[in-house]
């Protein structure tokens, strides 16, 4: 199921990127915002997103079979027309049949936009933070752990002050060697969200 979601997401991103309509200029009666004009220093935005992910069996070793569903709220501020710093608060439920594990995470991120057009913007990002598990998993001996991720995505405008966001990220979780075992968790996540810009 997750593989199908990834394939659909990649197809949507490619259509958004190469579609000729995505590069058309704004007409006077077009109420959608222009992404090129919007992203200016000082701009702030809120994003709420839902996502799903699965654990990779890397590195090899005893592995849980974890699948995750989650929600996130992200605040970001642009300090440059193509650069934003953000803070994200997230919740995820990990399915480790027959048990469920609840997690809460808080991360800071750097997002760099590498292509901004009137009808779409492409970005990559990196993030670091903390994540707390309410139950232990076999890969980690601690409840509170460090997390890092790298990812990329695309945004396209919706209405006068909003945009849809679709992104992928590769995430790593470990306790930095504070206690064994510390095999670590590696996962792929797909996120879809809605961003509201505060002009």
């Amino acid at each position: 199921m997750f593989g199908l979601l990834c394939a659909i997401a990649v197809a949507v991103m490619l259509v958004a990127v190469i579609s000729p309509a995505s590069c058309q200029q704004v007409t006077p009666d077009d109420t959608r915002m222009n992404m090129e004009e919007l992203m200016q220093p000082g701009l702030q935005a809120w994003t709420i997103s839902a996502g799903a992910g699965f654990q990779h069996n890397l590195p090899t070793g005893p592995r849980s079979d974890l699948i995750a569903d989650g929600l996130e709220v992200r605040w970001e501020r642009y300090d440059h027309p193509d650069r934003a710093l953000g803070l994200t608060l997230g919740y995820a439920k990990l399915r480790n049949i027959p048990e469920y594990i609840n997690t809460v995470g808080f991360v800071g991120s750097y997002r760099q936009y590498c292509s901004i057009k009137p009808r779409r913007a492409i970005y990559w990002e990196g993030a670091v933070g903390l994540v707390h598990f309410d139950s232990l998993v076999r890969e980690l001996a601690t409840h509170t752990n460090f997390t890092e991720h790298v990812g990329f995505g695309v945004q396209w405008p919706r209405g006068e002050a909003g945009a849809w966001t679709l992104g992928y990220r590769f995430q790593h979780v470990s306790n930095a060697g504070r206690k064994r075992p510390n095999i670590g968790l590696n996962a792929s996540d797909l996120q879809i969200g809605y961003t509201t810009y505060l002009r």
Side-chain angles (χ1 to χ4, degrees):
M1 181 64 178
F2 185 77
L4 178 61
L5 286 174
C6 285
I8 292 170
V10 169
V12 170
M13 281 194 251
L14 287 174
V15 168
V17 170
I18 64 176
S19 171
S22 69
C23 299
Q24 292 176 352
Q25 295 299 318
V26 180
T27 59
D29 60 346
D30 195 338
T31 59
R32 292 181 299 171
M33 66 181 177
N34 184 322
M35 302 285 291
E36 288 178 320
E37 295 175 355
L38 178 74
M39 295 182 177
Q40 300 299 324
L43 176 72
Q44 297 184 49
W46 286 94
T47 301
I48 184 165
S49 59
F54 68 95
Q55 179 187 1
H56 295 287
N57 291 322
L58 296 169
T60 57
R63 285 283 164 191
S64 305
D65 187 17
L66 299 176
I67 299 174
D69 297 307
L71 289 172
E72 291 184 347
V73 176
R74 171 188 167 86
W75 169 86
E76 65 184 352
R77 183 179 188 278
Y78 291 77
D79 65 347
H80 191 272
D82 60 358
R83 189 170 60 221
L85 301 176
L87 296 172
T88 302
L89 179 64
Y91 166 79
K93 178 171 280 192
L94 308 181
R95 295 192 296 275
N96 188 19
I97 305 301
E99 299 177 349
Y100 290 89
I101 300 168
N102 297 296
T103 70
V104 176
F106 184 73
V107 300
S109 64
Y110 171 88
R111 183 173 285 185
Q112 177 73 51
Y113 289 85
C114 50
S115 178
I116 302 173
K117 301 290 184 184
R119 290 292 172 257
R120 61 112 173 106
I122 301 172
Y123 68 86
W124 65 266
E125 70 177 12
V128 295
L130 297 172
V131 62
H132 180 80
F133 294 70
D134 69 352
S135 299
L136 294 177
V137 294
R138 68 172 68 180
E139 293 86 352
L140 299 166
T142 51
H143 286 276
T144 302
N145 301 281
F146 299 99
T147 182
E148 309 86 33
H149 78 248
V150 293
F152 63 90
V154 63
Q155 292 182 315
W156 61 97
R158 170 71 179 173
E160 297 182 6
W164 291 107
T165 302
L166 183 64
Y168 164 84
R169 68 186 182 204
F170 180 82
Q171 184 173 11
H172 174 73
V173 179
S174 74
N175 65 31
R178 292 181 295 128
K179 190 174 180 181
R180 294 182 180 276
N182 183 37
I183 300 171
L185 298 174
N186 296 299
S188 283
D189 297 302
L190 183 66
Q191 300 276 328
I192 185 165
Y194 185 77
T195 300
T196 299
Y197 296 95
L198 309 177
R199 303 199 226 195

